[in-house]
Amino acid sequence: MSKISPVTGHYVDVDVDGLLYKVFYLENGTGQPLVCQHTAGCHNHQWRGLLEDEEITANYRVIAYDLPRHGKSDPPENTEWWTEEYQLSADHFANFIVALCDALELENPIFMGSSFGGNIALQLALRHPDRFAGVIPVEGADYSPGFYLDWWQHPHANAAQVCASGVWDLMAPQSPEADRWKTWFYYSQGSESFRGDLHFYSVDHDLRGKLADIDGDRCPVVMLTGDYDYLTTPEDSARTAAQIPNAEFIEMKEIGHFPMSENHTVFRGYLIRALETLQDKARKSITTS
């Protein structure tokens, strides 16, 4: 007998900064919302292991969305988007995520994002500490310069293969080969948005000198980074967490820059630890208030 996954997909209208998006998201589970942002140039496929993880979805409503211009989420419906170059900004990225959570009427959500999603998690903790119960920046840091490059979309290159192959050596050799190739495949489908995403990642995101302003009591921060990630190194994330009040950093062993898709089995152990840490911080906050 065939097995039908419990994961379901939906569209929701999100109106933000004067732009109307039809946003696709996958979800599964019950309990506290856990909102998941994919990496730059990718889509919510990366979170399938988490979406089908029975232990986690028993306690959390896992929601993994496609950012507009990615996967099944179209560019804006009410503007001639093709006449302008796509350059994602910190302001619009953060505003969109809050608007999405509002559109879904989420209460007390935890936000988790990886790579540029890890960076926006830090931005959300700074900008909207009262909207989120906590954030889990995965492979994130205060500053990630140097990757907003023209050759990601150079006409002499096969952009789909260039973008996909550019992520290969960011994964740990211990990760299952089939999962590494799936991660490569996901990236072969997102080349048009990749460079624009990296505008946020390497140009507009810069929290140097601002990390101390994050209220780690109102919005706890638990950072996760793989030891095979040379793009955002464990040292980068540890340095970032050290400057955020009440933040914690967990180094993930034998895993790289795409932990949720390259090796969910390893990643889930660290994620459970991060979620337990957030729960402990929430209980302490209630006790001391």
Side-chain angles (χ1 to χ4, degrees):
M1 178 179 291
S2 63
K3 180 181 179 181
I4 298 177
S5 172
V7 179
T8 57
H10 308 273
Y11 278 96
V12 61
D13 287 350
V14 177
D15 193 343
V16 56
D17 296 338
L19 299 175
L20 176 61
Y21 297 112
K22 289 191 175 295
V23 178
F24 180 76
Y25 66 98
L26 296 170
E27 71 167 304
N28 186 32
T30 57
Q32 186 173 19
L34 176 58
V35 181
C36 302
Q37 167 67 59
H38 54 76
T39 61
C42 209
H43 42 86
N44 59 14
H45 257 147
Q46 289 181 314
W47 297 104
R48 189 176 66 184
L50 177 59
L51 285 158
E52 295 182 336
D53 191 306
E54 294 181 356
E55 181 180 357
I56 293 176
T57 56
N59 298 296
Y60 294 92
R61 178 188 174 190
V62 179
I63 299 170
Y65 59 90
D66 288 338
L67 192 67
R69 301 173 184 260
H70 300 70
K72 293 183 175 66
S73 293
D74 289 336
E77 299 287 326
N78 60 338
T79 186
E80 294 181 348
W81 54 268
W82 56 90
T83 64
E84 299 179 356
E85 182 181 2
Y86 169 56
Q87 293 182 324
L88 183 62
S89 69
D91 287 344
H92 188 62
F93 202 177
N95 292 345
F96 167 79
I97 293 167
V98 172
L100 173 66
C101 292
D102 290 345
L104 295 177
E105 300 180 349
L106 302 183
E107 296 183 8
N108 210 34
I110 296 170
F111 180 85
M112 174 168 60
S114 184
S115 188
F116 88 145
N119 288 356
I120 197 61
L122 294 169
Q123 294 274 356
L124 291 172
L126 176 64
R127 296 164 180 249
H128 301 283
D130 295 323
R131 186 63 184 89
F132 298 93
V135 298
I136 304 175
V138 181
E139 318 300 327
D142 55 352
Y143 188 50
S144 308
F147 295 93
Y148 183 59
L149 304 169
D150 289 341
W151 57 262
W152 290 119
Q153 291 182 323
H154 197 284
H156 292 170
N158 182 324
Q161 289 192 351
V162 167
C163 294
S165 297
V167 310
W168 182 260
D169 60 352
L170 283 165
M171 293 181 279
Q174 294 91 341
S175 295
E177 185 175 16
D179 290 338
R180 294 171 73 194
W181 276 109
K182 284 179 185 177
T183 302
W184 182 97
F185 172 70
Y186 299 157
Y187 260 87
S188 71
Q189 303 172 61
S191 58
E192 282 302 309
S193 60
F194 194 32
R195 183 172 180 273
D197 290 346
L198 293 176
H199 178 267
F200 162 73
Y201 182 74
S202 282
V203 178
D204 208 38
H205 170 74
D206 187 353
L207 292 183
R208 292 175 297 176
K210 301 177 183 178
L211 295 172
D213 295 331
I214 294 177
D215 191 332
D217 294 316
R218 292 162 67 195
C219 184
V221 178
V222 181
M223 302 186 68
L224 302 174
T225 296
D227 63 352
Y228 273 84
D229 186 357
Y230 68 80
L231 194 62
T232 300
T233 67
E235 291 76 16
D236 292 331
S237 298
R239 181 196 67 243
T240 299
Q243 298 176 65
I244 301 173
N246 197 35
E248 295 196 28
F249 166 67
I250 301 171
E251 180 175 345
M252 299 185 289
K253 300 295 186 181
E254 298 188 350
I255 204 165
H257 192 72
F258 309 94
M260 64 286 196
S261 60
E262 68 173 87
N263 198 335
H264 173 71
T265 301
V266 170
F267 174 66
R268 70 182 304 278
Y270 290 103
L271 174 57
I272 290 171
R273 181 176 162 189
L275 291 169
E276 290 174 346
T277 300
L278 288 178
Q279 292 170 1
D280 289 341
K281 289 180 180 294
R283 285 192 289 267
K284 291 178 182 177
S285 178
I286 293 173
T287 302
T288 57
S289 62

